[in-house]
Structure formats: C-alpha cells, structure tokens
Amino acid sequence: MRTEYAGELTEDSLADDWLSQFATWFADAVESDVPEPNAMLLATASADGRPSARTVLLKGYDQRGFTFFTNYDSRKGNDLAGNPRASLVFPWYALHRQVIVLGTVEKVAREETEEYFAKRPRGAQLGAWASPQSSVLRSREELERRFAEAGRRFGDGVIEPPPHWGGYRVAPEEVEFWQGRTSRLHDRLRFTPHGVERLAP
C-alpha cells in the first residue's frame, strides 16, 4: 500500500507566523471537504511517562493556542494534571498534509467553558453529566440509565457545564507544517521560538 504524494511547501510560500499559516491550511482543509477537518490527535503522557492518544475536536484557535473541551476526570485530564504537556496532529490525508504541535497545556477560564457549553446540542450537554469518561462501565445500559437520569434532573431547564468538565488550551512551543512530496522527499517546516527550521523528511 503506497501513495505518491504531490505538493510543495517552501520558505518563500510560508506565512510569517504559525497562526497565519495554520489559518490558511485549515481553510484549505475545510474548502476541500476533508472529513472533520477540526479532528486532531491529542497525545499525552502520565506523570510517570505512560503515553496515550485519542482524537478530539478543535473548538478554537488564536495566538494563544488550540482549544478543546473534555471531562477533567478522564484519562487525558488525569494525564494533563500530572504532566501538562501535549502534542497535537492534524492529519489531513486527502491534502497530503499534517500539522504537528508541541506545547504546554492549561485550563481555559470557566467563562469560556460556559460560553462554549451553552452552544452544544442538549443531548451533548446531558452526556457531559451522564458519562464518567474513561471509567469502567458494567454495561451500555448503565450509561443510558445515567443519561436518562440527567434528563429527568434538568427537565426543560438550562444545563450548566459540570464542574469536572471544561476546556484546555495547548500553547504551542513548536508547530510543524508537513507537506507530502514525491519520492518521500517531503517538506517539513517548523516554527520555533527562535525562527523557522527545515527538517529532513
């Protein structure tokens, strides 16, 4: 199984900063109908170095970094509590592109969590209360029972975010833009605090 990649990323075509370059590539992914272009692989490690990874959804980005929301008591939340560093990968396969981020992680302000949570579908709001994310369940029925209980608890009222649920922001130290090319001679340009570096493929 092998695909020949086509594309080009040069220093001359690169934006002046990682944020502008990401905005351009993200727009390309959206306009090209890449499935869930905001899906990103989030890799964390526990305080003792045990790694784990999962796909989460990007919910915002700016000069401060990349934002996602989750259960603070989940495995990723526990990892980040003990080791607040992470890596992100945006795998835009159809465009033969990746963006790879390495940075520190902090919780967003509670007001930001509340603003985002209010925009979520009601079922997703109830799910945040119902699911003890990453905990072992006895059965699917247990999860559905918890969901039904949350529905009865809130009725038709406003649902606030649980205290154990909220946002994280990955503040990038490095952002690499990877463009596939023929013969596996890919272009890899990385923004660092000291400038832009070209990496060997």
Side-chain angles (χ1 to χ4, degrees):
M1 293 182 286
R2 178 174 291 272
T3 299
E4 278 297 329
Y5 300 139
E8 183 179 71
L9 180 62
T10 67
E11 287 81 354
D12 290 340
S13 66
L14 194 70
D16 291 336
D17 57 85
W18 71 262
L19 180 59
S20 299
Q21 184 64 41
F22 182 83
T24 297
W25 273 24
F26 186 73
D28 289 346
V30 172
E31 293 168 6
S32 299
D33 292 326
V34 170
E36 291 200 282
N38 61 324
M40 57 187 185
L41 179 71
L42 167 68
T44 59
S46 62
D48 62 359
R50 187 179 184 186
S52 61
R54 75 290 291 160
T55 300
V56 298
L57 297 178
L58 175 71
K59 291 302 179 180
Y61 68 92
D62 56 25
Q63 70 279 0
R64 297 171 297 172
F66 302 86
T67 302
F68 66 95
F69 294 85
T70 191
N71 187 316
Y72 289 146
D73 294 333
S74 63
R75 180 172 182 176
K76 68 180 94 59
N78 288 326
D79 281 358
L80 292 171
N83 181 12
R85 300 180 64 81
S87 182
L88 304 172
V89 180
F90 293 87
W92 295 323
Y93 303 121
L95 300 179
H96 305 162
R97 289 175 175 174
Q98 301 178 73
V99 178
I100 303 147
V101 179
L102 176 66
T104 57
V105 185
E106 62 181 5
K107 292 180 179 179
V108 305
R110 193 62 183 170
E111 294 76 15
E112 190 171 344
T113 289
E114 292 170 350
E115 181 181 357
Y116 168 71
F117 193 82
K119 299 175 183 176
R120 285 166 64 91
R122 192 169 185 83
Q125 292 177 337
L126 292 172
W129 282 95
S131 175
Q133 193 175 108
S134 301
S135 299
V136 176
L137 295 171
R138 291 186 296 273
S139 65
R140 171 76 189 188
E141 287 71 25
E142 178 185 358
L143 181 61
E144 293 174 348
R145 175 182 56 77
R146 293 174 64 97
F147 184 83
E149 289 173 352
R152 288 192 293 271
R153 173 184 175 183
F154 291 101
D156 296 326
V158 174
I159 304 175
E160 300 291 339
H164 57 268
W165 192 97
Y168 287 104
R169 181 174 292 109
V170 180
E173 297 171 347
E174 300 176 356
V175 183
E176 177 186 337
F177 293 86
W178 185 103
Q179 174 66 64
R181 297 195 64 171
T182 58
S183 302
R184 296 299 189 259
L185 299 180
H186 313 306
D187 288 321
R188 298 177 61 190
L189 297 179
R190 180 173 66 185
F191 286 90
T192 77
H194 309 293
V196 176
E197 303 170 329
R198 176 173 285 272
L199 303 176

